[in-house]
Amino acid sequence: MWLRVTLTVVVLSLVSGAANAPDLLSEGSMGAALRFTAPILLAGLGALWAERSGVVNIGLEGMMIMGTWFGAFVGHQAGPLAGVLAGVAAGMSFGLALAVMALGFRIDQAVAGLALNLLAAGLARFLSSIFFDGIDGGSITQSPTVDALATVSLPGAQALLEPVASASIPIVSDVAQVTLGLVTDVSLLTLLVVALVPITWWVLFRTGLGLRIRACGEHPAAADSLGVSPAVHRTIALAVSGAMAGLAGAFLVTVASSVYREGQTGGRGFIGMATVVFGNWMVVPTAIGAFIFGFTDALRTRQEASVGALLLVAAVAFVIVAVVRGRHRSCRDAAGWGVASALLVSAFVLLPVVPPEFVSFAPHLTTLVVLALARPDLRAPAALGLPFRRGGSS
Amino acid sequence: MIQPVIELRGIGRRFPGVVANHDVSLSVAAGQVHAIVGENGAGKSTLMEILYGLQRPDEGEVRIDGRPVRLDSPADAIAHGIGMVHQHLMLADNLTVLENIVLGSEPIARGGRLDVARARAAITAIAARHGLPLDPVARVGDLSVGARQRVEIVKVLYRGARILILDEPTAVLVPQEVDELLRTLRALRDVGFTILFISHRLDEVLSVADVITVMRAGTTVVSVQPRDTDVRRLAELMVGSALPEPARHGVPPRAGVALQLRGVTSARPDARESLHDLSLTLHEGEIVGVAGVEGNGQSELIEVVLGIVVPSAGTIALGGHDITHWPTGERRALGLAAIPPDRRSEGLLLDAPLWENRILGHQLGPPLARGPWIDRGVARAGTRAIVLEADVRTPSIDVAASALSGGNQQKLIVGRELAGDPRVLIAAHPTRGVDVRAQAAIWARLVAARDAGLAVLLVSADLSELIGLSDRIVVMLRGRITGELDPRTVTPEALGGAMTGIGP
Amino acid sequence: MTRERLIRPGLFLAAPVIAVGLALLVAGLVLAATGADALRVLQDTIAYGTTGRSVVAVVDKSVGYYLAGIAAAIAFRMGLFNIGIDGQYRLAAFAAAVVGGAVVLPWPLGVVLMIGVAMLVGGAWAAIAGLLAAHRGVSVVISTIMLNAIATGIIAWLLHPSRLAVQAPGSNNVATALIPEGGRLPTIPTPLGDVDGFLLVAIAVGVLTWLVLGRTRFGFELRASGMSLRAAAVAGVDAKRMIVVTMIASGAVAGLAGMPQLLGASHRYGLDFPAGLGWTGIAIALLGRNHPLGIAIAALLWAWLERSAQILDLTGISREVVTIMQGVIVIAIVVAYELVGRMIRRREQRFVGLAEAATPGEGPARAASGA
């Protein structure tokens, strides 16, 4: 895996030089990437917890919205830490609501998720009209500002890496820049988010509770026959899922920005679902997917030339994948990736600059392309989306 | 007198519209292999589910070691030392053997971590002690059926069960695996385990059981010792009267070829299920039975003929037309009908009313469709006709298909497929879950249709059905046709041997 | 058994009534909490909502909602979740506005052309998601949401004076060229006022949808695929084709959702073109149980609620009470439908059980006479 990471950095570095886009691998863009990745990563973890237990959580977006609203509401009044806790609690409540609807009332999981999304949007607007409208700095669609959380930096990193970073040595400087970006001025919340990745992996794959949850997603009847209640474990998973989404919302209003704004979540709940598919329902690949999508999301704040450079990077990446697929004898797949790569190169050459409107949907387009070209041999939890009832008749 | 380890008195269990058990009494002594036999729908599975806490009885009492107990969930049953191996194995394919076994009773190390080492040691010890070889880190989905059943047994023993319930354990096993299983059960009995064994394979039951209890229509009829009875008498006790037999008329098949497969090859991730250079000819007016242990390509064969799977090599011809690359809809329009293997997920729209289910599979042309329009009148009238002819028990044709019992659903499907006057019928387990009377009726209808010229591809796990109905039997093993047998002269043992590739 | 056939729809009508009642209760509680006289507010709202002008406004608004709802329902019936109605209808309206503004045709050809373009673009945009789902197994939910964002970006980029838009003189609004008379739809005069002309088209679409879904082979195959993809495949339905065709149909109808606004009111696509119709369509489809008639009632209800919000403004109460009512209705109705469905299933099982218990001789005869 480290080989792949090194290769990626080298390629990025070369391309950023070739495309005259020094900002692509700068400290600033890495820092931004981290900030934009966190909510998507949380959404991905939320989707993973739910889907590993067998439930499709379409309501992630709504849970995130509740996280943003309550995070801002409480955060404005009682400080960012309280805001974060409130956001998590709000998300978790909606997660439990989904459990009640889909497991208790046995409503179709997707329909229940959609209904909760609708409720969340309406609720956010309604509560904003009561609490934010008329207050200084607030309106129906925006909250007053929330203070930020403390940030930390790795001691000594600045002193050590700064000279290397500004020395313009090819590749090495870029690596120094990237590292600086990842360890300087990082919000405490970001650290928590990153820590949740190994924690999730450990709980789901190394503990008894994790085994039970996964079993409920693979074969709930088997679990039930051994005294492991699918309803209980799916509820736990949904509570965690909602909490993750709520945390993502809280992150958006305390770290990524400092206000609640209507429409802030921007479909990240659904992008989170996509990262799980990208990661084949495994923790670390999901996180990697989140980073890819987060990186493209961060582009909107960077220099325009970086966007163009990223097209070239994607083109190179696609060529590599095309070669790999070709070696595996999947010629049609390889051709697909090859064509996509060619399209990207032509786009890079033809467009002097990528319009900002296009940058706004960069993560969404990336998601679509990655899903479209991903390998078809995915292994989702066997009972995903299927409701469980004891004693299904003959 | 020694206390029976299990005692059931006056057990009753009702479902909406169906009485599954009433006045059931059973007494099982310790260290005994106790078999429960009965036809489909006799209530055996429900009774075992009550004993395992998956169902709660509406009446009656369950006693373990003489004390009345309440079994509200499998956890309660496990606590009393009862373990169950279900007919449809309860194993998660994507998890390992070890994970499946310890689920719910995981050994926990310090810090909440799953103690894999301790689990592995315990599992290996149990497996060795009872002669049940298995690999704890293998992925269950990759194992053979016999191996998976061993996992189920170890799963039960791991929890300290002293009473084992096995529901139709030999249904999916090859004769060699059956012998191994019966040997294992005898060995377990000899060291003091109590074994409850549901089966309708009467010869197996007679060879291994110490006591046999017969159930019929939801209640226990009698308990006998194997030495005091034989297959015939047991069967009669199960049915309550003389056994029906499929009537075979001596009408020879016609010369015309209805369905022909030549050199059909299809690739599947599970190689055992792929078809390899398979050739088969069905004549008009002929029933060809396909025998083979489940998982040797029968489902792939059905899907290839239906058109859901396209073969990578070979040709398929229906009534002279090359349909190899035709989609399913066009094949059905040409006169291909199908009684699919899984009626609930493949043969019916559970939430739709019966008359709409009549249309399923037949919406491609007259009489149910005129141009782009569906003829509701014809559909409703046709459904009423089927309900009458096939004796489908329902108060109306507007109820949802899910409301019908399994047997009635099957009768509806059979009636529907035959009503279209097809040329070729794929009949997969056509009488699964159907009571004996209806089974005889379905057999009669299939034979009558055969006499009128229908070609039937019969896939079934029921050897007596295969032998009784078929004009020819072909044996499938690992995706190939390995032999052809004459049902008039073949014995179940020979057939079983051919199915495993060993023996005569 | 005609009684049997009526009980099902009858019970399913009870559900929305309960849901609306629950929402009213919640609204009443909220109003009471803010110190308002709930009953008085209700009276005022009903009085305002039943004036001639209100009825016309409600009907006008409901036309677009209805079409969005039908679009969602077509997909839902096949088990697909077309969340992309939002992107589809806006892209379609934009394209139609551009074409309508550029090509001058006599009435009614201009209108017909724009409708055609809208359906084409909407259908094509949805087809992307359909093809990805059928041939690459990409979840429709995810792909349509992504396509929404991409559509928004494309429109934003094109809606610029240097590309496909013009700056309206003296205003901040950037919009497409004004559509000439040939591309406008007149209103329909009624005793209560002039109603949006597209209402007729919407009714036609509704009737057509009901006919196709309920009475044609295609409709049967669509519904069967939604109930059980596997059973439909065994029955001869080409699953991949069905997914793509359904998405195209859904997208084409979605494309129509923006037409009332475009043809009858604004006559240009600008920055202020209404958004969010897609989510409303989904909510309405859920309320109407994916049935063209139910959706019509749901659309009217939804539009009526929003109209009532205006009177709330005037009485000093936050109009967002309506928003929360809408949210509560959706949740309540989804739960209510499930409970009603279960009641019906249990009833049927009981009836069937009685029939099965009948003796062999009587059974078949009774079944025949009962049907």
Side-chain angles (χ1 to χ4, degrees):
Chain A
M1 192 192 89
W2 287 114
L3 178 65
R4 291 207 196 130
V5 171
T6 327
L7 190 65
T8 313
V9 175
V10 168
V11 167
L12 279 169
S13 176
L14 289 172
V15 169
S16 81
N20 198 21
D23 193 42
L24 186 67
L25 275 189
S26 69
E27 181 184 337
S29 65
M30 270 308 127
L34 206 55
R35 266 199 318 279
F36 278 82
T37 297
I40 297 178
L41 175 58
L42 284 169
L45 289 176
L48 189 66
W49 271 89
E51 296 193 8
R52 273 290 183 172
S53 83
V55 181
V56 178
N57 185 359
I58 291 192
L60 278 173
E61 186 80 2
M63 294 169 197
M64 206 187 285
I65 293 176
M66 289 289 92
T68 61
W69 197 90
F70 282 92
F73 178 60
V74 174
H76 167 71
Q77 301 184 348
L81 186 60
V84 168
L85 291 172
V88 169
M92 193 185 287
S93 322
F94 261 62
L96 290 170
L98 181 61
V100 166
M101 287 175 75
L103 306 173
F105 288 111
R106 282 200 223 108
I107 295 167
D108 181 71
Q109 292 172 4
V111 169
L114 276 180
L116 282 172
N117 282 344
L118 290 166
L119 179 66
L123 195 59
R125 182 159 252 252
F126 174 63
L127 291 173
S128 293
S129 73
I130 297 181
F131 294 104
F132 291 161
D133 198 20
I135 309 181
D136 210 19
S139 71
I140 289 183
T141 56
Q142 190 171 306
S143 77
T145 51
V146 179
D147 294 331
L149 285 166
T151 62
V152 292
S153 301
L154 195 62
Q158 191 85 11
L160 208 65
L161 295 168
E162 184 65 54
V164 182
S166 20
S168 297
I169 311 170
I171 298 181
V172 178
S173 291
D174 285 337
V175 171
Q177 288 256 355
V178 167
T179 321
L180 266 182
L182 292 174
V183 300
T184 313
D185 271 339
V186 175
S187 166
L188 287 173
L189 200 54
T190 311
L191 289 179
L192 173 65
V193 172
V194 172
L196 282 174
V197 174
I199 291 175
T200 296
W201 176 82
W202 191 79
V203 173
L204 280 180
F205 291 93
R206 283 287 178 271
T207 65
L209 176 66
L211 175 61
R212 295 182 186 202
I213 290 177
R214 283 185 296 129
C216 292
E218 298 287 345
H219 199 315
D224 188 47
S225 74
L226 293 171
V228 173
S229 162
V232 166
H233 288 85
R234 284 175 170 180
T235 305
I236 295 174
L238 282 175
V240 173
S241 179
M244 295 275 185
L247 184 61
F251 185 95
L252 284 173
V253 299
T254 51
V255 179
S257 76
S258 55
V259 288
Y260 154 82
R261 210 171 298 133
E262 195 171 85
Q264 196 170 21
T265 49
R268 288 194 183 83
F270 298 99
I271 298 182
M273 290 174 68
T275 62
V276 171
V277 177
F278 172 88
N280 203 9
W281 285 270
M282 292 186 295
V283 180
V284 173
T286 300
I288 294 174
F291 187 74
I292 294 177
F293 298 141
F295 192 76
T296 53
D297 203 6
L299 287 177
R300 67 181 76 195
T301 62
R302 314 313 303 169
Q303 286 179 6
E304 288 176 343
S306 304
V307 182
L310 201 68
L311 285 177
L312 215 52
V313 171
V316 171
F318 285 7
V319 165
I320 295 176
V321 178
V323 167
V324 170
R325 298 301 286 167
R327 300 247 306 271
H328 281 212
R329 304 289 185 82
S330 329
C331 292
R332 256 178 57 185
D333 264 8
W337 289 99
V339 166
S341 178
L343 282 173
L344 286 174
V345 173
S346 17
F348 174 74
V349 167
L350 293 172
L351 286 174
V353 93
V354 181
E357 295 91 351
F358 284 9
V359 177
S360 74
F361 63 70
H364 306 89
L365 184 60
T366 313
T367 309
L368 207 56
V369 168
V370 167
L371 286 181
L373 297 176
R375 32 184 232 285
D377 56 327
L378 295 173
R379 204 169 259 175
L384 182 60
L386 302 173
F388 170 72
R389 186 205 309 238
R390 183 183 291 175
S393 46
S394 68
Chain B
M1 198 183 85
I2 306 172
Q3 192 98 244
V5 63
I6 298 176
E7 210 181 333
L8 298 170
R9 291 190 195 167
I11 296 285
R13 177 80 175 107
R14 264 182 305 279
F15 295 112
V18 164
V19 176
N21 290 136
H22 68 98
D23 196 27
V24 170
S25 296
L26 186 66
S27 177
V28 182
Q32 190 183 69
V33 174
H34 193 120
I36 303 187
V37 299
E39 56 171 5
N40 284 313
K44 319 183 286 292
S45 288
T46 309
L47 188 64
M48 292 302 106
E49 288 180 351
I50 289 175
L51 195 51
Y52 191 58
L54 283 169
Q55 305 268 5
R56 244 169 306 142
D58 298 319
E59 301 145 2
E61 182 178 69
V62 177
R63 285 177 175 231
I64 311 275
D65 290 326
R67 270 171 296 121
V69 295
R70 242 182 93 92
L71 299 165
D72 287 330
S73 74
D76 291 339
I78 294 172
H80 279 97
I82 302 175
M84 183 156 176
V85 175
H86 304 257
Q87 183 177 5
H88 303 290
L89 298 181
M90 296 276 198
L91 295 171
D93 284 352
N94 285 330
L95 299 178
T96 63
V97 166
L98 184 142
E99 289 175 326
N100 269 284
I101 291 176
V102 302
L103 178 63
S105 311
E106 304 92 353
I108 304 293
R110 233 187 338 199
R113 193 174 52 86
L114 182 66
D115 197 338
V116 176
R118 193 148 45 110
R120 190 182 312 186
I123 292 171
T124 330
I126 295 174
R129 201 181 316 146
H130 300 285
L132 298 159
L134 31 90
D135 177 11
V137 299
R139 183 180 160 268
V140 166
D142 299 331
L143 297 178
S144 71
V145 178
R148 295 163 79 159
Q149 202 172 62
R150 286 201 293 275
V151 174
E152 283 275 33
I153 295 177
V154 172
K155 193 165 89 171
V156 155
L157 295 173
Y158 178 82
R159 282 162 178 71
R162 355 161 242 134
I163 302 165
L164 275 72
I165 306 175
L166 292 105
D167 189 351
E168 298 280 6
T170 58
V172 291
L173 294 181
V174 154
Q176 189 187 26
E177 288 171 329
V178 169
D179 288 336
E180 270 176 41
L181 176 66
L182 297 183
R183 241 179 294 140
T184 307
L185 294 180
R186 282 189 209 103
L188 287 167
R189 182 232 7 232
D190 290 339
V191 289
F193 286 87
T194 307
I195 299 180
L196 269 164
F197 180 158
I198 297 180
S199 181
H200 66 273
R201 303 266 189 98
L202 299 178
D203 46 346
E204 290 168 5
V205 162
L206 282 169
S207 84
V208 75
D210 299 313
V211 179
I212 304 173
T213 296
V214 181
M215 283 187 74
R216 185 172 77 225
T219 191
T220 42
V221 173
V222 68
S223 291
V224 295
Q225 305 251 328
R227 60 168 169 265
D228 298 331
T229 185
D230 61 23
V231 175
R232 186 118 209 118
R233 268 194 288 185
L234 275 176
E236 284 173 4
L237 282 168
M238 280 165 51
V239 176
S241 57
L243 268 181
E245 281 221 338
R248 268 194 297 123
H249 306 274
V251 178
R254 309 188 186 172
V257 169
L259 179 72
Q260 178 150 67
L261 284 87
R262 275 215 195 97
V264 169
T265 303
S266 77
R268 265 251 203 153
D270 174 5
R272 214 159 61 135
E273 280 266 31
S274 313
L275 300 178
H276 303 284
D277 197 28
L278 187 142
S279 297
L280 181 64
T281 307
L282 244 72
H283 298 98
E284 293 172 12
E286 173 178 52
I287 297 180
V288 173
V290 177
V293 177
E294 199 175 299
N296 272 285
Q298 295 92 322
S299 31
E300 185 81 346
L301 176 62
I302 293 173
E303 294 193 337
V304 158
V305 175
L306 262 177
I308 296 175
V309 169
V310 178
S312 53
T315 59
I316 307 172
L318 182 66
H321 301 258
D322 182 350
I323 62 168
T324 317
H325 297 282
W326 284 26
T328 310
E330 290 180 29
R331 299 184 193 203
R332 295 206 72 147
L334 203 55
L336 177 67
I339 302 171
D342 185 339
R343 60 170 160 263
R344 286 176 66 89
S345 68
E346 298 176 326
L348 291 170
L349 301 171
L350 290 175
D351 292 325
L354 297 185
W355 67 266
E356 282 206 310
N357 273 285
R358 164 74 184 94
I359 306 174
L360 190 65
H362 302 268
Q363 74 278 6
L364 303 142
L368 284 155
R370 277 175 301 128
W373 303 101
I374 298 265
D375 193 331
R376 292 181 147 204
V378 167
R380 295 181 71 87
T383 313
R384 273 183 226 120
I386 293 175
V387 163
L388 199 57
E389 242 177 79
D391 189 27
V392 178
R393 302 295 177 81
T394 176
S396 122
I397 58 171
D398 288 299
V399 298
S402 58
L404 259 51
S405 70
N408 280 301
Q409 288 172 344
Q410 192 73 357
K411 287 189 250 179
L412 182 70
I413 295 174
V414 173
R416 170 184 78 199
E417 296 304 312
L418 289 175
D421 200 20
R423 274 177 156 167
V424 175
L425 173 67
I426 304 171
H429 313 287
T431 56
R432 190 186 264 174
V434 169
D435 65 88
V436 166
R437 209 175 302 111
Q439 189 180 41
I442 291 176
W443 283 342
R445 298 188 70 205
L446 287 174
V447 166
R450 190 272 317 265
D451 289 341
L454 175 67
V456 179
L457 185 66
L458 176 66
V459 175
S460 177
D462 186 342
L463 294 187
S464 63
E465 182 171 60
L466 278 175
I467 295 178
L469 277 182
S470 313
D471 297 307
R472 277 191 296 141
I473 298 180
V474 296
V475 181
M476 273 192 83
L477 184 65
R478 283 188 272 277
R480 285 169 217 272
I481 296 199
T482 50
E484 193 172 307
L485 299 164
D486 183 353
R488 279 168 296 200
T489 55
V490 76
T491 60
E493 296 78 36
L495 186 52
M499 282 158 61
T500 42
I502 46 173
Chain C
M1 253 209 196
T2 1
R3 200 182 72 127
E4 183 66 43
R5 292 170 77 176
L6 283 178
I7 287 194
R8 262 188 152 208
L11 276 175
F12 277 116
L13 267 176
V17 171
I18 299 173
V20 172
L22 196 67
L24 280 173
L25 191 66
V26 168
L29 288 171
V30 167
L31 288 175
T34 55
D37 181 353
L39 220 55
R40 181 75 199 285
V41 170
L42 188 63
Q43 274 178 313
D44 286 345
T45 313
I46 293 182
Y48 178 71
T50 45
T51 64
R53 263 185 49 198
S54 279
V55 170
V56 167
V58 166
V59 171
D60 279 350
K61 213 178 230 202
S62 66
V63 175
Y65 290 172
Y66 183 67
L67 289 164
I70 294 280
I74 292 175
F76 275 147
R77 286 290 204 127
M78 208 244 127
L80 297 173
F81 286 74
N82 183 5
I83 319 283
I85 295 174
D86 216 69
Q88 286 147 26
Y89 93 84
R90 278 183 297 118
L91 208 54
F94 180 77
V98 168
V99 170
V103 177
V104 180
L105 286 176
W107 195 89
L109 291 178
V111 172
V112 170
L113 175 67
M114 291 175 64
I115 290 180
V117 168
M119 291 182 76
L120 196 71
V121 171
W125 199 243
I128 299 176
L131 287 166
L132 285 176
H135 297 283
R136 304 297 307 185
V138 181
S139 153
V140 167
V141 169
I142 299 178
S143 59
T144 48
I145 299 255
M146 301 299 125
L147 286 169
N148 279 352
I150 296 174
T152 306
I154 292 178
I155 294 175
W157 184 64
L158 289 172
L159 201 61
H160 196 272
S162 64
R163 286 178 277 273
L164 289 178
V166 297
Q167 185 91 29
S171 88
N172 271 342
N173 192 16
V174 181
T176 59
L178 196 61
I179 295 167
E181 286 299 322
R184 301 185 184 200
L185 203 61
T187 55
I188 305 170
T190 71
L192 287 171
D194 287 346
V195 174
D196 190 314
F198 215 71
L199 175 65
L200 294 176
V201 177
I203 294 178
V205 169
V207 170
L208 196 68
T209 305
W210 175 77
L211 265 180
V212 169
L213 280 182
R215 309 279 174 174
T216 64
R217 240 185 58 202
F218 171 73
F220 176 79
E221 292 188 339
L222 192 154
R223 286 184 295 118
S225 305
M227 284 190 249
S228 170
L229 207 53
R230 178 80 187 165
V234 170
V237 177
D238 183 343
K240 292 191 177 155
R241 211 185 72 120
M242 182 57 67
I243 291 175
V244 178
V245 172
T246 303
M247 285 305 288
I248 292 177
S250 179
V253 174
L256 292 176
M259 290 294 101
Q261 175 74 18
L262 192 63
L263 297 174
S266 42
H267 307 298
R268 65 197 329 154
Y269 187 102
L271 293 170
D272 57 351
F273 201 79
L277 217 59
W279 290 101
T280 307
I282 291 173
I284 289 176
L286 288 178
L287 260 83
R289 250 187 127 241
N290 299 324
H291 191 282
L293 189 59
I295 295 174
I297 301 174
L300 287 166
L301 174 69
W302 206 262
W304 187 83
L305 281 172
E306 298 202 340
R307 174 78 181 168
S308 313
Q310 292 183 352
I311 182 77
L312 289 177
D313 253 353
L314 298 173
T315 57
I317 298 170
S318 160
R319 67 195 344 236
E320 261 67 29
V321 170
V322 160
T323 318
I324 197 67
M325 276 187 71
Q326 287 172 330
V328 170
I329 288 180
V330 172
I331 296 272
I333 212 158
V334 158
V335 174
Y337 278 147
E338 174 64 34
L339 294 176
V340 168
R342 225 182 289 175
M343 258 198 289
I344 290 182
R345 272 193 294 272
R346 237 175 293 166
R347 255 185 102 253
E348 286 189 343
Q349 276 185 327
R350 240 179 307 141
F351 277 171
V352 167
L354 291 174
E356 286 205 29
T359 59
E362 293 174 10
R366 197 192 297 163
S369 67

